[in-house]
Amino acid sequence: MVRGDLEKMRKLFIVSELFFPNKTSTAYIMTELANYLASSYDVSVITTDMKYDENVSTQIQNTPYKITRKSVGNVNKNNFFSRVLGAVESSVLLTHNLYKNVKNNEKVFVVTNPFLIIFFIAFLRLFIRFEYTLLVHDVFPENTIPAGLKSKKSFSYKLLKIIFDWSYRKADKLIVLGEDMKQLLIQKGVLDSSINIIPNWYDDDLILPDFNRSEYLGIPNLERKIVIGFAGNIGRVQGLDDFLESFVKVNDNKLVFVAVGDGAMIGDLKEKYGSKNNIYFLGNKPRNEQSYFLNSFDISLVTLAKGMYGLGVPSKSYNILKTGKPILYIGDSTSEIDLMIKKNGCGWSFNWEEKAQLRTFLANIKACDINKFKIKNQELAESKFNSSSIKNQFFSVINK
């Protein structure tokens, strides 16, 4: 490859707390990018041995790059204090290893996981002038507000904001997932010219399987039902409780809600809604079953709690498009997914103030309204969110 011949001997360090064999979104994306970039750079991955959840591959992966795994203690992702302690430990270990190995003018590619890594890498860069590209999946500390963990008026929040605004500004280049996230970073004083918008991509191994969804999900009599499905982390910033409040008020026996995943809010939601005969919490399922559970849904739900504008773009949206299913999005208006839906007509979008409109929609949705999305959404995914095109955009930013 010409691209590989030109850049093969250049050193690139990739730093991510989560990596293969983890199969969560961040681990999957960073592993795929490492595999892709290894054809152009001498890649070294610095990661941890953390197992984020049960979604871990048992396959043995032969890689064309070096992987250094730092050993960390057990972290409970659903416990705030455990996550903070884990973030401190991971950040110190990852940064220390980078410090021992990186040299001036070598390239470093970092993702914002764990959240404290941004500060540690920014501090390290005061002493070593490496070329620093930051992939922004989370914006801290702003994301603590909708999660209910901080108040904007608190001294600790104001102090964290000063520290982390400075930390984001220390990156040479930043990659964000949408225009809303870009605007949030500009408010932190990050230069517009240093920010690049690159969305995530759909998984290449998604298929349209021929199967019985009732048997797969373990839920009987779904033949004439409309299944609204949620797949992913069931945490504090998803706002799933607010959606289910509207869902149960509709009280329509043609509607079924299915959640695939786990998270900090799963216990509360099960206690509140678990006795309903049309609401099911199925727990985690392996990433390699996405083709099955996403195709089990008639409508895929994507939610972000109020106040999450610019703080995240659910990557599952692109897998949903590839399956040909419509997206039902609930979150802040003019956020990335809201704009995508309104521009391309690939589903429906509501903000959290439109509860009456949402209930009216749920009460009147019909199968014929759903089927019209299949071909259009698949074509949208293949034209704009295919992996080869998106990965090449990453290469272009890191390489320039």
Side-chain angles (χ1 to χ4, degrees):
M1 295 176 62
V2 174
R3 180 163 62 88
D5 292 341
L6 289 172
E7 293 289 340
K8 186 64 177 178
M9 299 310 295
R10 296 204 66 181
K11 190 71 177 178
L12 171 65
F13 291 90
I14 296 178
V15 182
S16 175
E17 180 183 43
L18 300 175
F19 202 76
F20 184 90
N22 285 290
K23 299 182 75 175
T24 58
S25 179
T26 297
Y28 170 80
I29 288 167
M30 296 306 287
T31 303
E32 288 288 302
L33 288 173
N35 293 337
Y36 184 77
L37 293 167
S39 66
S40 304
Y41 294 97
D42 177 9
V43 171
S44 288
V45 174
I46 305 173
T47 186
T48 72
D49 63 357
M50 179 183 294
K51 301 296 187 291
Y52 186 73
D53 53 28
E54 300 108 19
N55 197 8
V56 177
S57 176
T58 57
Q59 296 178 346
I60 297 174
Q61 185 187 51
N62 296 317
T63 63
Y65 45 83
K66 176 184 176 183
I67 302 179
T68 300
R69 296 189 190 275
K70 308 306 293 184
S71 182
V72 298
N74 293 327
V75 175
N76 180 357
K77 69 183 181 70
N78 296 329
N79 181 281
F80 172 74
F81 294 104
S82 179
R83 289 185 67 176
V84 170
L85 290 174
V88 172
E89 182 181 16
S90 294
S91 298
V92 170
L93 292 172
L94 296 175
T95 305
H96 182 255
N97 188 272
L98 182 64
Y99 165 73
K100 290 194 302 180
N101 291 282
V102 70
K103 298 179 177 61
N104 287 332
N105 300 318
E106 291 183 331
K107 291 180 178 288
V108 176
F109 178 44
V110 182
V111 66
T112 54
N113 193 314
F115 67 93
L116 287 171
I117 196 72
I118 315 164
F119 168 71
F120 283 90
I121 297 293
F123 184 75
L124 177 61
R125 199 167 179 275
L126 296 176
F127 305 97
I128 307 174
R129 297 301 297 176
F130 48 81
E131 296 181 33
Y132 175 23
T133 302
L134 178 64
L135 172 56
V136 182
H137 281 178
D138 300 293
V139 183
F140 191 82
E142 284 83 353
N143 58 357
T144 64
I145 302 299
L149 300 175
K150 290 287 182 182
S151 166
K152 280 188 177 181
K153 297 180 181 180
S154 69
F155 173 77
S156 61
Y157 175 82
K158 293 176 181 178
L159 178 61
L160 285 171
K161 184 160 172 43
I162 291 171
I163 293 171
F164 278 86
D165 285 4
W166 170 82
S167 299
Y168 282 100
R169 292 197 298 268
K170 296 305 291 182
D172 296 302
K173 294 166 285 189
L174 301 94
I175 297 172
V176 299
L177 303 175
E179 180 65 37
D180 53 352
M181 191 176 284
K182 177 179 178 178
Q183 294 305 316
L184 198 58
L185 289 177
I186 289 174
Q187 293 173 24
K188 289 177 171 289
V190 178
L191 293 176
D192 187 324
S193 58
S194 69
I195 305 174
N196 305 269
I197 300 175
I198 305 178
N200 286 327
W201 63 89
Y202 64 81
D203 291 9
D204 289 330
D205 58 358
L206 285 173
I207 60 172
L208 297 177
D210 182 13
F211 73 115
N212 184 300
R213 69 174 179 177
S214 284
E215 291 180 1
Y216 173 74
L217 296 174
I219 303 172
N221 304 319
L222 291 178
E223 291 79 11
R224 297 185 180 182
K225 304 292 186 180
I226 293 177
V227 177
I228 300 174
F230 178 93
N233 183 48
I234 303 175
R236 296 179 178 88
V237 299
Q238 275 69 46
L240 204 51
D241 190 13
D242 289 332
F243 169 77
L244 287 173
E245 282 187 4
S246 294
F247 182 84
V248 297
K249 286 180 180 178
V250 174
N251 194 28
D252 189 332
N253 61 12
K254 79 172 183 296
L255 298 177
V256 173
F257 175 79
V258 174
V260 173
D262 197 0
M265 294 299 295
I266 189 65
D268 293 342
L269 295 179
K270 282 184 175 180
E271 182 177 352
K272 192 171 181 180
Y273 302 105
S275 62
K276 304 294 182 182
N277 61 11
N278 64 340
I279 295 178
Y280 299 87
F281 298 98
L282 303 185
N284 282 322
K285 288 187 178 294
R287 190 181 187 95
N288 60 14
E289 290 186 18
Q290 277 191 110
S291 294
Y292 290 89
F293 58 75
L294 289 180
N295 278 290
S296 296
F297 308 154
D298 295 300
I299 299 171
S300 277
L301 178 67
V302 176
T303 59
L304 284 174
K306 185 177 180 180
M308 280 291 291
Y309 178 85
L311 299 178
V313 179
S315 59
K316 62 187 173 186
S317 305
Y318 310 113
N319 284 343
I320 294 168
L321 292 178
K322 177 59 177 173
T323 65
K325 305 294 183 177
I327 298 172
L328 171 57
Y329 173 74
I330 308 169
D332 292 327
S333 298
T334 71
S335 62
E336 189 67 16
I337 300 300
D338 173 64
L339 293 175
M340 181 183 75
I341 290 173
K342 289 175 178 174
K343 179 180 178 180
N344 298 287
C346 53
W348 308 274
S349 183
F350 298 87
N351 63 52
W352 290 110
E353 284 71 40
E354 296 175 315
K355 293 183 178 180
Q357 294 93 322
L358 174 61
R359 291 197 295 270
T360 299
F361 164 79
L362 292 173
N364 291 282
I365 190 68
K366 298 178 178 63
C368 59
D369 299 324
I370 298 167
N371 295 334
K372 65 183 182 182
F373 290 95
K374 184 175 181 178
I375 294 176
K376 177 169 63 175
N377 285 10
Q378 289 174 333
E379 290 178 346
L380 174 63
E382 290 163 5
S383 63
K384 293 190 176 181
F385 306 112
N386 66 84
S387 64
S388 59
S389 172
I390 301 298
K391 289 173 185 176
N392 191 57
Q393 292 177 51
F394 274 89
F395 170 79
S396 297
V397 171
I398 292 170
N399 192 52
K400 69 182 179 183

